[in-house]
mmCIF file of all heavy atoms in Angstrom:
data_model
loop_
_atom_site.group_PDB
_atom_site.id
_atom_site.type_symbol
_atom_site.label_atom_id
_atom_site.label_comp_id
_atom_site.label_asym_id
_atom_site.label_seq_id
_atom_site.Cartn_x
_atom_site.Cartn_y
_atom_site.Cartn_z
ATOM 1 N N ASP A 98 -11.870 -27.076 6.907
ATOM 2 C CA ASP A 98 -12.131 -28.304 6.089
ATOM 3 C C ASP A 98 -12.459 -27.908 4.696
ATOM 4 O O ASP A 98 -12.182 -28.667 3.750
ATOM 5 C CB ASP A 98 -13.124 -29.203 6.760
ATOM 6 C CG ASP A 98 -14.409 -28.444 7.148
ATOM 7 O OD1 ASP A 98 -14.533 -27.260 7.035
ATOM 8 O OD2 ASP A 98 -15.460 -29.167 7.468
ATOM 9 N N ALA A 99 -13.152 -26.767 4.441
ATOM 10 C CA ALA A 99 -13.558 -26.446 3.171
ATOM 11 C C ALA A 99 -12.329 -26.061 2.224
ATOM 12 O O ALA A 99 -12.573 -25.987 0.954
ATOM 13 C CB ALA A 99 -14.503 -25.219 3.232
ATOM 14 N N MET A 100 -11.150 -25.783 2.776
ATOM 15 C CA MET A 100 -9.954 -25.493 1.934
ATOM 16 C C MET A 100 -9.271 -26.784 1.578
ATOM 17 O O MET A 100 -8.341 -26.651 0.752
ATOM 18 C CB MET A 100 -9.077 -24.583 2.791
ATOM 19 C CG MET A 100 -9.638 -23.242 3.244
ATOM 20 S SD MET A 100 -8.457 -22.348 4.283
ATOM 21 C CE MET A 100 -9.492 -21.092 4.941
ATOM 22 N N ALA A 101 -9.641 -27.950 2.073
ATOM 23 C CA ALA A 101 -9.001 -29.159 1.645
ATOM 24 C C ALA A 101 -9.412 -29.396 0.204
ATOM 25 O O ALA A 101 -10.548 -29.468 -0.108
ATOM 26 C CB ALA A 101 -9.402 -30.304 2.522
ATOM 27 N N ALA A 102 -8.406 -29.604 -0.701
ATOM 28 C CA ALA A 102 -8.669 -29.903 -2.059
ATOM 29 C C ALA A 102 -8.520 -31.353 -2.349
ATOM 30 O O ALA A 102 -7.844 -32.051 -1.675
ATOM 31 C CB ALA A 102 -7.709 -29.136 -2.988
ATOM 32 N N GLY A 103 -9.311 -31.849 -3.296
ATOM 33 C CA GLY A 103 -9.291 -33.215 -3.676
ATOM 34 C C GLY A 103 -8.266 -33.410 -4.730
ATOM 35 O O GLY A 103 -7.332 -32.676 -4.868
ATOM 36 N N PRO A 104 -8.519 -34.503 -5.542
ATOM 37 C CA PRO A 104 -7.565 -34.703 -6.716
ATOM 38 C C PRO A 104 -7.789 -33.449 -7.717
ATOM 39 O O PRO A 104 -6.875 -33.209 -8.469
ATOM 40 C CB PRO A 104 -8.103 -35.967 -7.310
ATOM 41 C CG PRO A 104 -9.380 -36.350 -6.738
ATOM 42 C CD PRO A 104 -9.480 -35.619 -5.449
ATOM 43 N N ASP A 105 -8.895 -32.769 -7.505
ATOM 44 C CA ASP A 105 -9.130 -31.671 -8.418
ATOM 45 C C ASP A 105 -9.343 -30.369 -7.570
ATOM 46 O O ASP A 105 -9.720 -30.394 -6.445
ATOM 47 C CB ASP A 105 -10.525 -31.785 -9.222
ATOM 48 C CG ASP A 105 -10.426 -32.866 -10.241
ATOM 49 O OD1 ASP A 105 -9.303 -33.342 -10.515
ATOM 50 O OD2 ASP A 105 -11.506 -33.354 -10.590
ATOM 51 N N VAL A 106 -9.175 -29.225 -8.187
ATOM 52 C CA VAL A 106 -9.382 -27.929 -7.518
ATOM 53 C C VAL A 106 -10.125 -27.073 -8.565
ATOM 54 O O VAL A 106 -9.763 -27.140 -9.765
ATOM 55 C CB VAL A 106 -8.162 -27.279 -6.960
ATOM 56 C CG1 VAL A 106 -7.181 -26.858 -7.969
ATOM 57 C CG2 VAL A 106 -8.502 -26.080 -6.156
ATOM 58 N N ASP A 107 -11.193 -26.366 -8.137
ATOM 59 C CA ASP A 107 -11.967 -25.556 -9.031
ATOM 60 C C ASP A 107 -11.355 -24.135 -9.219
ATOM 61 O O ASP A 107 -11.437 -23.275 -8.504
ATOM 62 C CB ASP A 107 -13.334 -25.425 -8.525
ATOM 63 C CG ASP A 107 -14.317 -24.680 -9.416
ATOM 64 O OD1 ASP A 107 -13.797 -24.179 -10.490
ATOM 65 O OD2 ASP A 107 -15.502 -24.511 -9.036
ATOM 66 N N ALA A 108 -10.512 -24.066 -10.299
ATOM 67 C CA ALA A 108 -9.766 -22.893 -10.550
ATOM 68 C C ALA A 108 -10.608 -21.668 -10.782
ATOM 69 O O ALA A 108 -10.177 -20.545 -10.563
ATOM 70 C CB ALA A 108 -8.776 -23.001 -11.773
ATOM 71 N N ALA A 109 -11.839 -21.794 -11.253
ATOM 72 C CA ALA A 109 -12.751 -20.750 -11.500
ATOM 73 C C ALA A 109 -13.212 -20.049 -10.236
ATOM 74 O O ALA A 109 -13.617 -18.855 -10.304
ATOM 75 C CB ALA A 109 -13.966 -21.220 -12.223
ATOM 76 N N ARG A 110 -12.979 -20.592 -9.070
ATOM 77 C CA ARG A 110 -13.281 -20.040 -7.765
ATOM 78 C C ARG A 110 -12.118 -19.252 -7.228
ATOM 79 O O ARG A 110 -12.218 -18.633 -6.172
ATOM 80 C CB ARG A 110 -13.710 -21.050 -6.711
ATOM 81 C CG ARG A 110 -14.961 -21.948 -7.082
ATOM 82 C CD ARG A 110 -16.269 -21.138 -7.107
ATOM 83 N NE ARG A 110 -16.301 -20.124 -5.991
ATOM 84 C CZ ARG A 110 -16.929 -18.988 -6.071
ATOM 85 N NH1 ARG A 110 -17.505 -18.645 -7.139
ATOM 86 N NH2 ARG A 110 -16.993 -18.231 -4.981
ATOM 87 N N LEU A 111 -10.974 -19.305 -7.967
ATOM 88 C CA LEU A 111 -9.714 -18.627 -7.450
ATOM 89 C C LEU A 111 -9.359 -17.440 -8.310
ATOM 90 O O LEU A 111 -9.614 -17.480 -9.542
ATOM 91 C CB LEU A 111 -8.686 -19.608 -7.337
ATOM 92 C CG LEU A 111 -8.935 -20.921 -6.444
ATOM 93 C CD1 LEU A 111 -7.935 -21.978 -6.552
ATOM 94 C CD2 LEU A 111 -9.078 -20.435 -4.968
ATOM 95 N N ILE A 112 -8.699 -16.451 -7.723
ATOM 96 C CA ILE A 112 -8.536 -15.219 -8.445
ATOM 97 C C ILE A 112 -7.215 -15.330 -9.361
ATOM 98 O O ILE A 112 -7.212 -15.143 -10.509
ATOM 99 C CB ILE A 112 -8.315 -14.001 -7.431
ATOM 100 C CG1 ILE A 112 -9.635 -13.772 -6.617
ATOM 101 C CG2 ILE A 112 -8.001 -12.815 -8.187
ATOM 102 C CD1 ILE A 112 -9.460 -12.967 -5.340
ATOM 103 N N HIS A 113 -6.082 -15.631 -8.682
ATOM 104 C CA HIS A 113 -4.825 -15.766 -9.324
ATOM 105 C C HIS A 113 -3.971 -16.736 -8.560
ATOM 106 O O HIS A 113 -2.935 -16.426 -8.007
ATOM 107 C CB HIS A 113 -4.073 -14.395 -9.612
ATOM 108 C CG HIS A 113 -4.266 -13.457 -8.441
ATOM 109 N ND1 HIS A 113 -4.140 -12.097 -8.533
ATOM 110 C CD2 HIS A 113 -4.494 -13.666 -7.120
ATOM 111 C CE1 HIS A 113 -4.332 -11.597 -7.428
ATOM 112 N NE2 HIS A 113 -4.542 -12.498 -6.462
ATOM 113 N N PRO A 114 -4.413 -18.020 -8.537
ATOM 114 C CA PRO A 114 -3.800 -18.978 -7.635
ATOM 115 C C PRO A 114 -2.268 -19.372 -7.986
ATOM 116 O O PRO A 114 -1.931 -19.238 -9.118
ATOM 117 C CB PRO A 114 -4.650 -20.290 -7.881
ATOM 118 C CG PRO A 114 -5.309 -20.098 -9.173
ATOM 119 C CD PRO A 114 -5.473 -18.581 -9.345
ATOM 120 N N ARG A 115 -1.565 -19.568 -6.934
ATOM 121 C CA ARG A 115 -0.182 -20.069 -7.058
ATOM 122 C C ARG A 115 -0.144 -21.322 -6.206
ATOM 123 O O ARG A 115 -0.814 -21.413 -5.152
ATOM 124 C CB ARG A 115 0.744 -19.049 -6.501
ATOM 125 C CG ARG A 115 0.806 -17.745 -7.293
ATOM 126 C CD ARG A 115 1.734 -16.790 -6.664
ATOM 127 N NE ARG A 115 1.825 -15.565 -7.398
ATOM 128 C CZ ARG A 115 2.573 -14.494 -7.130
ATOM 129 N NH1 ARG A 115 3.277 -14.524 -6.057
ATOM 130 N NH2 ARG A 115 2.562 -13.361 -7.890
ATOM 131 N N ILE A 116 0.827 -22.195 -6.551
ATOM 132 C CA ILE A 116 0.977 -23.508 -5.756
ATOM 133 C C ILE A 116 2.409 -23.673 -5.363
ATOM 134 O O ILE A 116 3.325 -23.218 -6.028
ATOM 135 C CB ILE A 116 0.508 -24.683 -6.637
ATOM 136 C CG1 ILE A 116 0.407 -25.952 -5.763
ATOM 137 C CG2 ILE A 116 1.249 -24.871 -7.865
ATOM 138 C CD1 ILE A 116 -0.445 -27.052 -6.321
ATOM 139 N N GLU A 117 2.508 -24.291 -4.057
ATOM 140 C CA GLU A 117 3.920 -24.450 -3.591
ATOM 141 C C GLU A 117 3.966 -25.783 -2.771
ATOM 142 O O GLU A 117 2.952 -26.172 -2.236
ATOM 143 C CB GLU A 117 4.270 -23.246 -2.662
ATOM 144 C CG GLU A 117 3.354 -22.928 -1.552
ATOM 145 C CD GLU A 117 3.677 -21.613 -0.825
ATOM 146 O OE1 GLU A 117 4.294 -20.808 -1.423
ATOM 147 O OE2 GLU A 117 3.310 -21.561 0.365
ATOM 148 N N PRO A 118 5.150 -26.370 -2.733
ATOM 149 C CA PRO A 118 5.335 -27.627 -1.996
ATOM 150 C C PRO A 118 5.338 -27.303 -0.473
ATOM 151 O O PRO A 118 5.802 -26.253 -0.021
ATOM 152 C CB PRO A 118 6.644 -28.159 -2.400
ATOM 153 C CG PRO A 118 7.394 -27.042 -3.052
ATOM 154 C CD PRO A 118 6.365 -26.041 -3.381
ATOM 155 N N GLU A 119 4.893 -28.237 0.339
ATOM 156 C CA GLU A 119 4.916 -28.053 1.791
ATOM 157 C C GLU A 119 5.296 -29.387 2.460
ATOM 158 O O GLU A 119 5.152 -30.455 1.926
ATOM 159 C CB GLU A 119 3.458 -27.805 2.270
ATOM 160 C CG GLU A 119 2.784 -26.481 1.782
ATOM 161 C CD GLU A 119 3.170 -25.377 2.678
ATOM 162 O OE1 GLU A 119 3.592 -25.571 3.865
ATOM 163 O OE2 GLU A 119 2.987 -24.191 2.226
ATOM 164 N N ILE A 120 5.816 -29.260 3.682
ATOM 165 C CA ILE A 120 6.001 -30.342 4.597
ATOM 166 C C ILE A 120 4.840 -30.170 5.582
ATOM 167 O O ILE A 120 4.513 -29.025 6.063
ATOM 168 C CB ILE A 120 7.406 -30.280 5.341
ATOM 169 C CG1 ILE A 120 8.580 -30.458 4.419
ATOM 170 C CG2 ILE A 120 7.367 -31.311 6.531
ATOM 171 C CD1 ILE A 120 8.635 -31.880 3.842
ATOM 172 N N VAL A 121 4.091 -31.227 5.929
ATOM 173 C CA VAL A 121 2.870 -31.183 6.711
ATOM 174 C C VAL A 121 3.062 -32.103 7.948
ATOM 175 O O VAL A 121 3.536 -33.217 7.858
ATOM 176 C CB VAL A 121 1.669 -31.661 5.869
ATOM 177 C CG1 VAL A 121 0.403 -31.374 6.679
ATOM 178 C CG2 VAL A 121 1.658 -31.008 4.558
ATOM 179 N N PHE A 122 2.620 -31.557 9.045
ATOM 180 C CA PHE A 122 2.629 -32.283 10.267
ATOM 181 C C PHE A 122 1.136 -32.573 10.681
ATOM 182 O O PHE A 122 0.339 -31.717 10.604
ATOM 183 C CB PHE A 122 3.272 -31.504 11.480
ATOM 184 C CG PHE A 122 4.730 -31.175 11.247
ATOM 185 C CD1 PHE A 122 5.114 -29.955 10.743
ATOM 186 C CD2 PHE A 122 5.745 -32.145 11.573
ATOM 187 C CE1 PHE A 122 6.523 -29.683 10.576
ATOM 188 C CE2 PHE A 122 7.079 -31.909 11.407
ATOM 189 C CZ PHE A 122 7.380 -30.650 10.976
ATOM 190 N N LEU A 123 0.871 -33.894 11.185
ATOM 191 C CA LEU A 123 -0.390 -34.219 11.697
ATOM 192 C C LEU A 123 -0.311 -34.117 13.201
ATOM 193 O O LEU A 123 0.486 -34.837 13.814
ATOM 194 C CB LEU A 123 -0.799 -35.539 11.212
ATOM 195 C CG LEU A 123 -2.208 -35.964 11.794
ATOM 196 C CD1 LEU A 123 -3.339 -35.142 11.240
ATOM 197 C CD2 LEU A 123 -2.380 -37.490 11.238
ATOM 198 N N ILE A 124 -1.235 -33.364 13.842
ATOM 199 C CA ILE A 124 -1.175 -33.171 15.345
ATOM 200 C C ILE A 124 -1.992 -34.350 15.964
ATOM 201 O O ILE A 124 -3.168 -34.573 15.502
ATOM 202 C CB ILE A 124 -1.762 -31.776 15.710
ATOM 203 C CG1 ILE A 124 -1.041 -30.657 14.991
ATOM 204 C CG2 ILE A 124 -1.912 -31.699 17.228
ATOM 205 C CD1 ILE A 124 0.422 -30.597 15.528
ATOM 206 N N GLY A 125 -1.440 -35.006 16.921
ATOM 207 C CA GLY A 125 -2.065 -36.177 17.554
ATOM 208 C C GLY A 125 -2.706 -35.850 18.904
ATOM 209 O O GLY A 125 -3.640 -36.539 19.374
ATOM 210 N N ARG A 126 -2.174 -34.851 19.576
ATOM 211 C CA ARG A 126 -2.817 -34.386 20.847
ATOM 212 C C ARG A 126 -2.687 -32.851 21.025
ATOM 213 O O ARG A 126 -1.891 -32.271 20.300
ATOM 214 C CB ARG A 126 -2.182 -35.135 21.999
ATOM 215 C CG ARG A 126 -0.695 -35.012 22.138
ATOM 216 C CD ARG A 126 -0.182 -35.906 23.267
ATOM 217 N NE ARG A 126 0.513 -37.064 22.854
ATOM 218 C CZ ARG A 126 1.823 -37.284 23.040
ATOM 219 N NH1 ARG A 126 2.480 -36.504 23.913
ATOM 220 N NH2 ARG A 126 2.402 -38.254 22.582
ATOM 221 N N GLU A 127 -3.517 -32.447 21.895
ATOM 222 C CA GLU A 127 -3.560 -30.931 22.076
ATOM 223 C C GLU A 127 -2.177 -30.320 22.350
ATOM 224 O O GLU A 127 -1.328 -30.799 23.139
ATOM 225 C CB GLU A 127 -4.491 -30.577 23.276
ATOM 226 C CG GLU A 127 -5.959 -30.907 22.951
ATOM 227 C CD GLU A 127 -6.834 -30.435 24.053
ATOM 228 O OE1 GLU A 127 -6.297 -29.943 25.179
ATOM 229 O OE2 GLU A 127 -8.047 -30.420 23.909
ATOM 230 N N VAL A 128 -1.973 -29.193 21.679
ATOM 231 C CA VAL A 128 -0.719 -28.430 21.843
ATOM 232 C C VAL A 128 -1.104 -27.058 22.432
ATOM 233 O O VAL A 128 -1.770 -26.299 21.725
ATOM 234 C CB VAL A 128 0.072 -28.303 20.564
ATOM 235 C CG1 VAL A 128 1.317 -27.480 20.671
ATOM 236 C CG2 VAL A 128 0.424 -29.659 19.958
ATOM 237 N N ARG A 129 -0.639 -26.785 23.579
ATOM 238 C CA ARG A 129 -0.996 -25.430 24.211
ATOM 239 C C ARG A 129 0.314 -24.586 24.244
ATOM 240 O O ARG A 129 0.213 -23.358 24.562
ATOM 241 C CB ARG A 129 -1.534 -25.633 25.555
ATOM 242 C CG ARG A 129 -2.876 -26.342 25.568
ATOM 243 C CD ARG A 129 -3.667 -25.985 26.823
ATOM 244 N NE ARG A 129 -5.035 -26.132 26.667
ATOM 245 C CZ ARG A 129 -5.665 -27.248 26.629
ATOM 246 N NH1 ARG A 129 -5.010 -28.407 26.948
ATOM 247 N NH2 ARG A 129 -7.030 -27.387 26.466
ATOM 248 N N SER A 130 1.536 -25.123 24.019
ATOM 249 C CA SER A 130 2.685 -24.361 24.077
ATOM 250 C C SER A 130 3.778 -24.968 23.160
ATOM 251 O O SER A 130 3.639 -26.178 22.816
ATOM 252 C CB SER A 130 3.263 -24.360 25.533
ATOM 253 O OG SER A 130 3.804 -25.648 25.805
ATOM 254 N N PRO A 131 4.802 -24.208 22.720
ATOM 255 C CA PRO A 131 5.777 -24.722 21.768
ATOM 256 C C PRO A 131 6.432 -25.985 22.459
ATOM 257 O O PRO A 131 6.869 -26.877 21.627
ATOM 258 C CB PRO A 131 6.723 -23.573 21.692
ATOM 259 C CG PRO A 131 6.005 -22.360 22.053
ATOM 260 C CD PRO A 131 4.946 -22.809 23.018
ATOM 261 N N ALA A 132 6.614 -26.069 23.747
ATOM 262 C CA ALA A 132 7.241 -27.200 24.367
ATOM 263 C C ALA A 132 6.591 -28.476 24.119
ATOM 264 O O ALA A 132 7.121 -29.615 24.145
ATOM 265 C CB ALA A 132 7.417 -27.010 25.915
ATOM 266 N N GLU A 133 5.249 -28.392 23.834
ATOM 267 C CA GLU A 133 4.408 -29.732 23.601
ATOM 268 C C GLU A 133 4.431 -30.058 22.131
ATOM 269 O O GLU A 133 3.860 -31.072 21.740
ATOM 270 C CB GLU A 133 2.987 -29.395 24.077
ATOM 271 C CG GLU A 133 2.869 -29.214 25.538
ATOM 272 C CD GLU A 133 1.458 -28.766 26.009
ATOM 273 O OE1 GLU A 133 0.634 -28.286 25.119
ATOM 274 O OE2 GLU A 133 1.134 -28.974 27.140
ATOM 275 N N ALA A 134 4.973 -29.216 21.228
ATOM 276 C CA ALA A 134 4.796 -29.428 19.847
ATOM 277 C C ALA A 134 5.454 -30.674 19.288
ATOM 278 O O ALA A 134 4.701 -31.512 18.620
ATOM 279 C CB ALA A 134 5.294 -28.168 19.025
#
Side-chain angles (χ1 to χ4, degrees):
D98 55 347
M100 299 179 194
D105 294 343
V106 64
D107 184 357
R110 298 294 318 150
L111 302 170
I112 300 164
H113 37 206
R115 297 178 178 179
I116 188 163
E117 57 188 25
E119 293 275 342
I120 295 290
V121 189
F122 297 98
L123 178 64
I124 300 298
R126 57 183 106 120
E127 288 187 352
V128 178
R129 294 204 156 81
S130 73
E133 295 173 338

